Amino acid sequence: MSLALKPGMVPPPPGEESQTVVLPPGWQSYLSPQGRRYYVNTATNETTWERPSSSSGIPASPGPHRSSLPPTVNGYHTSGTPAHPPETAHMSVRKSTGDSQNLGSSSPSKKQSKENTITINCVTFPHPDTMPEQQLLKPTEWSYCDYFWADKKDSQGNGTVAGFELLLQKQLKGKQMQKEMSEFIRERIKIEEEYAKNLAKLSQNSLAAQEEGSLGEAWAQVKKSLADEAEVHLKFSAKLHSEVEKPLMNFRENFKKDMKKCDHHIADLRKQLASRYAAVEKARKALTERQRDLEMKTQQLEIKLSNKTEEDIKKARRKSTQAGDDLMRCVDLYNQAQSKWFEEMVTTTLELERLEVERVEMIRQHLCQYTQLRHETDMFNQSTVEPVDQLLRKVDPAKDRELWVREHKTGSIRPVDMEI
């Protein structure tokens, strides 16, 4: 229900009505806080500035009558009066009431159908559901600034979470993901370092070191290739640290600083908005009570004329006017807080959107760097075994046997002639 600034419903004191013609059935006259007389049909809650015709029971010169509510954005009027309590306003489709007039204007009023109007304190306003839906700020994008004004029910349906809180949770989750990705890369680096260490150690192993010939040369190259591969993996781990892990950690620290700028700011504005709304409601109730008191004292005056009763009516009228002024003041304070909240909400959601896009793009780039380094490492690993392949193709058992025999021969066995 839209909250509107109510005029003081002040019945006219005796002798003040300039027209002696009796009002039609169901019509009553009141004074606005500005002292201007208007008329209310208590049966239909319709209002008019002009005295109703006694013959028809309807305003003599009907004209459009609408509230002075300003455009509404995401359940809140950008200037004017609150459309909903801060706790529930975000659940409504964003509406715009357009330009309108209040009781302080000079335009006459007009009948409106009950289906398209809403009445507050005998004042009729256009119903929010009859207003056109407001345009999105970014109609061609699924932007944060358009889709996180409403509260969302939790999975169990036991409560709701403010839309902006969902954005903050998204950012905090993103920060946690960055941390976990950095830890993942750190573990990958440890594996590479440990693997390189074990390869280097194995390359120094003396097993089968006595193998000879061309096969011995190939075997020695196999062991050397382990040392070369160990060096490749050490370089890979060093590049992972400098080109992937470290940038991820640095970005995470900067991301935390950016998050602190808006972490609690919007929440504080929401609390202030709720407080302002409560003040408006309190002032509205106070005005209603003052108007009721004034109407009661006026009815007493109709029963019994006395100077005391007239004095009480004057006091009641002053209090009613003061209550109307207090309500206007509370509404102004609410509008200021609401306008600030709206501006900061748009600005901050766009900033959070920028941070999220930047985070995803940064991680994508560094994961691409990881795959590139991995491809390079695989290529270098392949290069370490190429000399082994070349030597293995040159292994010649016959030549190895010949060389060994030449080096280690002990002599030949020759037949000896026997003497008779």
Side-chain angles (χ1 to χ4, degrees):
M1 175 180 291
S2 298
L3 174 64
L5 189 61
K6 279 76 64 181
M9 289 174 28
V10 186
E16 188 172 318
E17 185 71 37
S18 60
Q19 302 181 25
T20 59
V21 181
V22 179
L23 289 172
W27 287 92
Q28 293 185 14
S29 65
Y30 298 90
L31 288 180
S32 70
Q34 294 79 19
R36 186 175 182 187
R37 183 171 304 284
Y38 66 99
Y39 302 89
V40 178
N41 188 316
T42 58
T44 64
N45 290 324
E46 296 164 6
T47 60
T48 178
W49 290 114
E50 297 190 18
R51 184 183 181 86
S53 171
S54 59
S55 59
S56 62
I58 60 174
S61 301
H65 171 75
R66 300 181 66 182
S67 70
S68 56
L69 299 180
T72 303
V73 180
N74 298 303
Y76 289 92
H77 298 297
T78 54
S79 61
T81 54
H84 302 274
E87 293 79 6
T88 60
H90 306 293
M91 297 303 295
S92 64
V93 177
R94 297 186 296 151
K95 304 290 183 179
S96 175
T97 61
D99 297 331
S100 55
Q101 299 173 344
N102 62 7
L103 292 176
S105 68
S106 58
S107 299
S109 63
K110 178 182 180 180
K111 277 188 175 182
Q112 296 187 12
S113 65
K114 292 183 179 180
E115 293 79 6
N116 296 330
T117 60
I118 188 169
T119 302
I120 304 175
N121 231 24
C122 295
V123 180
T124 305
F125 301 102
H127 197 284
D129 292 340
T130 65
M131 297 298 102
E133 184 175 345
Q134 182 175 320
Q135 295 296 318
L136 299 177
L137 297 178
K138 290 187 175 183
T140 60
E141 300 179 26
W142 287 92
S143 176
Y144 286 0
C145 64
D146 282 313
Y147 295 98
F148 287 90
W149 300 85
D151 294 347
K152 182 177 182 179
K153 288 186 178 181
D154 60 24
S155 56
Q156 290 76 27
N158 298 326
T160 59
V161 180
F164 186 77
E165 291 298 322
L166 288 176
L167 287 181
L168 290 182
Q169 292 175 11
K170 167 70 172 174
Q171 300 300 311
L172 293 175
K173 181 179 179 181
K175 184 174 69 173
Q176 180 64 22
M177 291 302 100
Q178 286 177 243
K179 178 182 178 182
E180 293 180 7
M181 287 183 182
S182 299
E183 292 173 351
F184 178 90
I185 298 299
R186 176 69 260 176
E187 289 300 314
R188 185 71 174 87
I189 292 173
K190 288 181 179 179
I191 291 173
E192 288 298 313
E193 291 174 342
E194 187 67 20
Y195 184 55
K197 178 181 177 181
N198 290 334
L199 287 177
K201 181 179 179 181
L202 184 60
S203 69
Q204 301 300 320
N205 194 295
S206 61
L207 292 176
Q210 302 302 317
E211 182 63 54
E212 299 174 334
S214 59
L215 181 60
E217 294 178 7
W219 175 246
Q221 187 61 44
V222 168
K223 296 170 66 176
K224 182 178 182 302
S225 70
L226 296 182
D228 295 338
E229 187 177 354
E231 184 178 356
V232 169
H233 283 278
L234 279 177
K235 291 180 179 180
F236 177 46
S237 64
K239 287 187 176 182
L240 281 181
H241 173 70
S242 62
E243 299 180 21
V244 181
E245 181 200 18
K246 190 174 180 180
L248 282 175
M249 293 300 295
N250 291 340
F251 184 84
R252 178 173 176 269
E253 292 302 316
N254 294 330
F255 187 82
K256 288 169 60 177
K257 294 178 182 178
D258 292 333
M259 279 291 296
K260 287 181 179 179
K261 297 177 182 178
C262 56
D263 198 355
H264 302 293
H265 185 50
I266 294 295
D268 292 341
L269 288 176
R270 263 178 75 94
K271 291 179 181 178
Q272 185 185 58
L273 199 58
S275 176
R276 299 296 191 196
Y277 180 86
V280 170
E281 283 292 283
K282 183 177 179 181
R284 180 186 64 79
K285 292 178 181 179
L287 175 60
T288 302
E289 292 174 0
R290 295 302 184 189
Q291 291 172 342
R292 188 180 299 114
D293 182 58
L294 177 59
E295 186 172 2
M296 182 182 64
K297 285 182 170 54
T298 303
Q299 292 173 354
Q300 292 175 356
L301 180 61
E302 294 175 354
I303 299 173
K304 182 179 179 180
L305 295 176
S306 68
N307 293 333
K308 183 178 183 303
T309 304
E310 292 181 4
E311 184 63 27
D312 289 343
I313 289 177
K314 291 180 181 178
K315 290 181 180 179
R317 183 178 294 112
R318 286 195 298 270
K319 290 181 179 180
S320 178
T321 301
Q322 180 61 44
D325 293 340
D326 291 343
L327 178 57
M328 286 190 288
R329 190 160 44 251
C330 289
V331 168
D332 287 341
L333 291 175
Y334 175 89
N335 291 336
Q336 294 173 18
Q338 183 268 160
S339 179
K340 180 66 174 176
W341 173 84
F342 174 77
E343 293 174 1
E344 292 296 329
M345 182 72 174
V346 173
T347 302
T348 308
T349 53
L350 290 175
E351 176 64 14
L352 291 179
E353 186 176 81
R354 182 192 67 80
L355 289 175
E356 175 63 7
V357 172
E358 182 179 327
R359 183 188 73 86
V360 172
E361 178 60 23
M362 185 279 303
I363 292 177
R364 186 194 70 81
Q365 291 179 1
H366 286 86
L367 289 181
C368 287
Q369 181 64 13
Y370 166 81
T371 59
Q372 178 64 27
L373 291 174
R374 176 61 191 274
H375 289 319
E376 292 177 358
T377 300
D378 291 341
M379 292 176 61
F380 285 128
N381 280 338
Q382 182 63 31
S383 67
T384 62
V385 298
E386 288 178 358
V388 177
D389 289 337
Q390 294 175 2
L391 288 176
L392 287 175
R393 284 193 292 269
K394 294 179 180 180
V395 172
D396 185 350
K399 183 178 181 181
D400 287 348
R401 184 178 70 254
E402 178 184 345
L403 292 175
W404 187 85
V405 169
R406 286 182 180 180
E407 184 176 351
H408 297 89
K409 66 182 179 179
T410 60
S412 302
I413 298 177
R414 296 180 178 180
V416 178
D417 294 337
M418 295 183 66
E419 294 179 359
I420 299 177

